[in-house]
Amino acid sequence: MTNSIKAGSNKAMEDKAFPNKGELYHLYAARDKLGTATLISDSNIVYKTHVFEELIHESGDITIVAGADYELKGNQTSYVTAKLPYSKQLYSKTVDLIQMSCNPNSNNIHGEFIGLWKVSGKGTEVVKKALEELAQRKDFAQLTFSDFFNYINLIHPVAVKYTMGSWIDTETYTKIQKDGGKND
């Protein structure tokens, strides 16, 4: 995840002094900016607007978005296992997170965490408390979002909202724009 946090409608906080503090450090540094309804996003991903709209209207306290059309990429990705795999029957619904893992095992993967999630209501306090507790660990700088959401899931349910083909990483997006949409 990129080392920046949106704080306010158009502001991004970036910590250039500590670029290698791990995935959770920048979220921890911006924890006081989390409001009663906050969208959190990886700044290296471009999303279609309907993904934001659907997420904003979710009623869960903590909801993550998982791409159901994932590709196995090794241990640099957070893979999601949920109570149910993606299905059209889940249209506009969420399912409970079972676990997240950076170790791909295609037998139990239902999607890929795309770096977009929302906290609201009680979820905001749960996330802040979890960050405070995890920051006390000696291995905090090595913890991943998989570790973070698994920890939260022990104390509060995490909902999974599936999406298909509604996001792309900025590197691929830039390449598409540069190539004028032509395929290689």
Side-chain angles (χ1 to χ4, degrees):
M1 300 239 159
T2 297
N3 300 327
S4 65
I5 302 287
K6 288 277 186 194
S9 60
N10 295 317
K11 282 179 112 177
M13 291 176 42
E14 189 163 353
D15 190 345
K16 294 178 182 177
F18 300 101
N20 298 315
K21 289 289 187 179
E23 288 185 7
L24 299 181
Y25 172 77
H26 299 283
L27 181 59
Y28 174 77
R31 67 193 178 283
D32 293 333
K33 304 290 184 195
L34 297 174
T36 55
T38 305
L39 290 178
I40 300 136
S41 172
D42 182 332
S43 63
N44 284 326
I45 306 292
V46 177
Y47 310 95
K48 291 184 178 177
T49 54
H50 73 87
V51 177
F52 290 108
E53 292 168 4
E54 289 181 28
L55 190 55
I56 288 168
H57 295 293
E58 280 303 320
S59 61
D61 292 330
I62 303 168
T63 305
I64 64 171
V65 180
D69 50 344
Y70 66 92
E71 297 174 11
L72 294 177
K73 302 176 192 168
N75 63 0
Q76 297 300 314
T77 300
S78 292
Y79 298 102
V80 173
T81 302
K83 188 172 184 179
L84 294 170
Y86 170 80
S87 161
K88 287 184 178 181
Q89 301 300 314
L90 294 173
Y91 183 78
S92 295
K93 296 179 183 171
T94 61
V95 293
D96 292 336
L97 176 70
I98 301 297
Q99 73 172 7
M100 285 178 84
S101 175
C102 294
N103 300 314
N105 176 345
S106 60
N107 294 332
N108 66 356
I109 297 173
H110 297 150
E112 172 185 352
F113 174 54
I114 66 170
L116 179 63
W117 54 294
K118 176 194 83 148
V119 294
S120 59
K122 185 177 180 186
T124 303
E125 294 309 313
V126 170
V127 165
K128 287 180 180 181
K129 182 177 185 222
L131 285 167
E132 292 289 342
E133 291 171 2
L134 290 171
Q136 301 306 309
R137 291 178 42 170
K138 291 182 186 205
D139 65 344
F140 181 68
Q142 286 75 47
L143 296 179
T144 64
F145 275 98
S146 291
D147 298 319
F148 177 65
F149 285 114
N150 287 332
Y151 183 82
I152 288 174
N153 205 35
L154 294 173
I155 56 176
H156 191 83
V158 175
V160 176
K161 178 81 173 168
Y162 289 115
T163 189
M164 292 276 285
S166 299
W167 62 282
I168 192 168
D169 62 272
T170 54
E171 183 179 331
T172 303
Y173 181 81
T174 301
K175 183 182 182 317
I176 290 169
Q177 295 301 310
K178 187 175 134 186
D179 294 345
K182 298 175 190 167
N183 292 329
D184 288 302

